[in-house]
Amino acid sequence: MNKLKILVIEDDLIWQLKLQMMLEQLNIGTIMLASNLAEAQQLLSTQLPDLVIADIVMPDGIVFTILTKNYRQLPVIYQTGYSQEGFLKKALAMPNIGFLMKPFERFALQATIEVLLSKVRASTDMPSDSISVIGKHKHRIDVSLEGIYWVKAEGNYSIINTIDQKYVLKRSLRKVGDDLTVSFIQIHKSYIINVKYVERIGEAEVYINRQSIPIGRKYRKVLFEAMRGNY
């Protein structure tokens, strides 16, 4: 297993220390520690980890509030001492998750990490670095994620914009977002953009390929954090 950057989000300092010791014994990478959501958000905006191990209930909120909105593609192992079905349902809404009930031992942690990362690697090896759309002549076209500049919602449809083409996909923006990489963030209720192609940021819009795309007020902070994390 390659060395990983692992973010641990845990407010119980004793359990945080135990997790740190288990991970150090596994010798699988560097460890970043956050004791609340504010610290976790700061670390996530500074450097994206390869894996997140997160308690669900934190003193300043529920961890889903940051992970399910802005970092859906990250592999996350949720750990909790609360056996609530609602937590499991929210966790399963994300594409790359594992789930552990506290307390657990090193072997359970190791097995969960390896199963989750194997799943992520398998999905990455498949042609999931592209989105399949139906072309004008009813044939399938695989649009590379790398070549997507932004995606716009049109009702239950999504319009994929590349440098010189537009493709219509019969899927909601939220569902399309599940298939995108961490280079993509939502900046408006109707727009997801690839931050790699942002040319400049105005007062209420970003510019990609010389096109103006609006920024929703509640998404502005997320955009700036993503830009700091990528540049």
Side-chain angles (χ1 to χ4, degrees):
M1 184 182 294
N2 294 328
K3 296 299 182 181
L4 306 171
K5 296 188 294 291
I6 304 168
L7 172 60
V8 173
I9 307 174
E10 172 60 64
D11 63 303
D12 183 331
L13 295 182
I14 294 176
W15 185 250
Q16 185 188 90
L17 178 61
K18 183 171 183 178
L19 271 176
Q20 184 178 1
M21 291 175 61
M22 285 192 282
L23 290 167
E24 288 174 349
Q25 289 169 352
L26 293 175
N27 191 29
I28 57 174
T30 57
I31 305 165
M32 300 177 286
L33 302 173
S35 299
N36 53 56
L37 295 187
E39 290 178 3
Q41 183 67 74
Q42 179 61 38
L43 289 169
L44 284 164
S45 64
T46 303
Q47 185 178 36
L48 284 176
D50 301 304
L51 173 68
V52 178
I53 301 173
D55 194 359
I56 294 177
V57 180
M58 301 294 287
D60 51 345
I62 303 297
V63 76
F64 296 126
T65 58
I66 59 173
L67 293 179
T68 60
K69 287 184 179 179
N70 308 325
Y71 303 98
R72 292 181 60 80
Q73 299 301 319
L74 286 178
V76 180
I77 295 174
Y78 289 108
Q79 39 149 5
T80 183
Y82 299 90
S83 54
Q84 293 191 20
E85 187 177 351
F87 288 161
L88 179 59
K89 286 182 177 178
K90 286 188 176 181
L92 291 175
M94 296 178 67
N96 302 312
I97 68 107
F99 206 92
L100 284 169
M101 288 294 297
K102 294 180 182 176
F104 51 84
E105 298 299 329
R106 186 180 69 185
F107 177 78
L109 177 61
Q110 181 180 6
T112 304
I113 291 173
E114 291 186 0
V115 168
L116 175 58
L117 294 184
S118 293
K119 173 188 170 185
V120 172
R121 282 193 296 269
S123 65
T124 302
D125 291 340
M126 295 168 61
S128 57
D129 55 352
S130 63
I131 289 182
S132 294
V133 300
I134 303 301
K136 293 180 180 179
H137 303 292
K138 305 299 182 183
H139 63 286
R140 195 184 80 167
I141 300 172
D142 290 328
V143 181
S144 169
L145 298 185
E146 188 69 25
I148 296 175
Y149 281 33
W150 70 86
V151 184
K152 180 183 179 182
E154 292 282 359
N156 291 325
Y157 291 80
S158 296
I159 312 299
I160 296 173
N161 291 262
T162 66
I163 188 170
D164 57 0
Q165 295 286 335
K166 292 183 179 181
Y167 302 95
V168 179
L169 190 60
K170 194 176 181 180
R171 262 196 281 169
S172 68
L173 191 68
R174 182 183 65 80
K175 289 184 178 179
V176 172
D178 290 345
D179 293 333
L180 300 176
T181 65
V182 292
S183 296
F184 291 84
I185 62 164
Q186 187 163 0
I187 64 164
H188 186 276
K189 66 180 181 180
S190 298
Y191 287 92
I192 292 175
I193 66 166
N194 189 336
V195 296
K196 293 180 180 179
Y197 295 117
V198 172
E199 295 162 352
R200 64 187 178 94
I201 303 175
E203 287 296 320
E205 69 284 319
V206 298
Y207 291 87
I208 297 177
N209 198 28
R210 299 184 296 280
Q211 298 291 315
S212 171
I213 300 171
I215 306 171
R217 282 189 299 174
K218 71 176 183 178
Y219 298 97
R220 191 171 182 83
K221 182 179 178 182
V222 174
L223 172 62
F224 280 104
E225 288 172 349
M227 296 300 291
R228 283 201 303 269
N230 282 271
Y231 298 99

